[in-house]
């Protein structure tokens, strides 16, 4: 049995639950309490506040966890990062009132900066030789400059909308963050085996994200061109059709590139193009 800590409520909860579900690990939502048990995998889920996840994994109360890289860095907990998971993307940035000139990092010398991430900020300022005072605030950091509590802020930015609506501008990005899968430092062999099985499933789910399965009929003489358009994982699958001079070509394509590829394929004679959702990719 292994135990995974995930965020109980908040921005990472839904995607964390979805990742488990897509990996074939079903937790009964109705029975979801502080601790839940999977019906079909030897795994327990511990639902916590995100701030607590790195420490709980480091001290062995949970074996693995899903949490923002920002929290791992801030707590400095002794955990291993097993995977970047591709959701919860954001950045930790320094921002100042939008009317201010910004000459570079020296701007912050002698200034007060409000943040909920004092450790990451302290390290960054030290590394860059900047002497600023850090005001630790737990929430609504973005209002600190207007409220006269600080000159600048160091906070999470995603779309940038919060900064704009508070009259601030982002001037330095210190950390690019996303949800990561973390593991404790000393895990016994039987748990490591189960963690490997979870990793294998997570990888097949994350690899399939943002990709589509595409198949089409193609004149046989256009196959060479089509292979250049669709490199696929190894190379596309080509199968002869009953109609002479035609074949069926199957491949996997990034969703972002889908329409460009479809247009290029139509130009070389592709017909009857089908685009399907991809559930798992196992390499
Ligand atoms: O209750 P608990 O302690 O578990 O949750 P929390 O309130 O501390 O965290 P939560 O749920 O807000 O965020 C969890 C994690 O999501 C963070 O640690 C980040 O890793 C990640 N994440 C991704 C974000 C954002 N995007 C984000 N936009 N966390 C916070 N924000 C906030 C930010 O603080 C700012 O106030 O959203 C605002 C900025 O958003 P934009 O889009 O206006 O720039
Ligand atoms: Zn939190």
């Amino acid at each position: 049995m292994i135990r995974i800590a995930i965020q109980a409520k908040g921005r990472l909860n839904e995607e964390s639950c979805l990742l488990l579900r897509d990996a074939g690990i079903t937790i009964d939502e109705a029975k979801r309490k502080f601790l839940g048990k999977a019906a079909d995998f030897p795994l327990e889920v511990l639902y916590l506040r995100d701030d607590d996840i790195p420490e709980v994994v480091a001290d062995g109360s949970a074996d693995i966890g899903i949490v923002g890289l920002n929290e791992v860095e801030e707590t400095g907990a002794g955990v291993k990062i097993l995977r970047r998971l591709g959701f919860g993307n954001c950045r930790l940035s320094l921002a100042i009132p939008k009317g201010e000139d910004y000459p570079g990092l020296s701007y912050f010398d002698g200034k007060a900066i409000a943040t909920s991430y004092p450790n990451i900020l302290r390290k960054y300022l030290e590394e860059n030789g900047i002497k600023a005072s850090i005001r630790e605030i737990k929430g609504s950091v973005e209002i600190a400059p207007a409220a006269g509590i600080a000159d600048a802020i160091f906070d999470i930015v995603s779309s940038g909308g919060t900064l704009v609506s508070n009259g601030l501008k982002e001037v330095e990005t210190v950390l690019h963050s996303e949800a990561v899968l973390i593991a404790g430092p000393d895990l016994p062999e039987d748990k490591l085996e189960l963690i490997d099985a979870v990793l294998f499933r997570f990888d097949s789910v994350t690899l399939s994200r943002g990709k589509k399965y595409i198949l089409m009929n193609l004149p046989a003489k256009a196959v060479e061109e089509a292979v250049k358009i669709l490199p696929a994982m190894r190379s596309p699958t080509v199968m002869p059709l009953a109609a002479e001079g035609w074949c069926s070509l199957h491949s996997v394509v990034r969703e972002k590139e889908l329409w460009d590829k479809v247009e290029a394929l139509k130009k070389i004679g592709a017909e009857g193009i089908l685009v399907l959702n991809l559930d798992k990719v196992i390499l």
Side-chain angles (χ1 to χ4, degrees), residues 99-117:
E100 295 273 299
D101 283 337
Y102 184 67
L105 266 183
S106 61
Y107 174 89
F108 294 100
D109 260 321
K111 297 273 198 311
I113 309 171
T115 187
S116 314
Y117 294 90

Side-chain angles (χ1 to χ4, degrees), residues 171-197:
V171 291
E172 302 286 345
T173 301
V174 173
L175 177 79
H176 285 279
S177 180
E178 67 188 276
V180 290
L181 181 71
I182 55 172
D186 306 305
L187 292 165
E189 197 54 38
D190 57 329
K191 291 199 177 198
L192 289 175
E193 268 173 36
L194 286 173
I195 291 169
D196 271 348

Side-chain angles (χ1 to χ4, degrees), residues 179-227:
V180 290
L181 181 71
I182 55 172
D186 306 305
L187 292 165
E189 197 54 38
D190 57 329
K191 291 199 177 198
L192 289 175
E193 268 173 36
L194 286 173
I195 291 169
D196 271 348
V198 170
L199 275 179
F200 180 77
R201 293 182 183 204
F202 279 7
D203 287 347
S204 77
V205 174
T206 42
L207 263 175
S208 72
R209 295 216 166 131
K211 297 199 183 78
K212 296 282 178 191
Y213 190 79
I214 183 167
L215 56 154
M216 72 214 70
N217 295 332
L218 194 72
K221 61 181 169 31
V223 166
E224 216 173 302
E225 271 305 299
V227 172

Side-chain angles (χ1 to χ4, degrees), residues 60-79:
S61 308
D63 306 304
I64 52 177
I66 296 176
V67 68
L69 179 63
N70 49 306
E71 292 297 335
V72 178
E73 295 283 321
E74 180 60 23
T75 54
V79 296

Side-chain angles (χ1 to χ4, degrees), residues 7 9-12 48-51 68-71 88-90 117 142 155-163 177:
Q7 195 187 21
K9 278 187 228 129
R11 288 167 204 265
L12 302 183
L48 296 176
R49 289 204 55 183
D50 67 344
D51 321 52
L69 179 63
N70 49 306
E71 292 297 335
N89 295 68
C90 57
Y117 294 90
E142 64 278 357
D155 199 11
I156 291 179
V157 183
S158 169
S159 66
T162 303
L163 293 184
S177 180

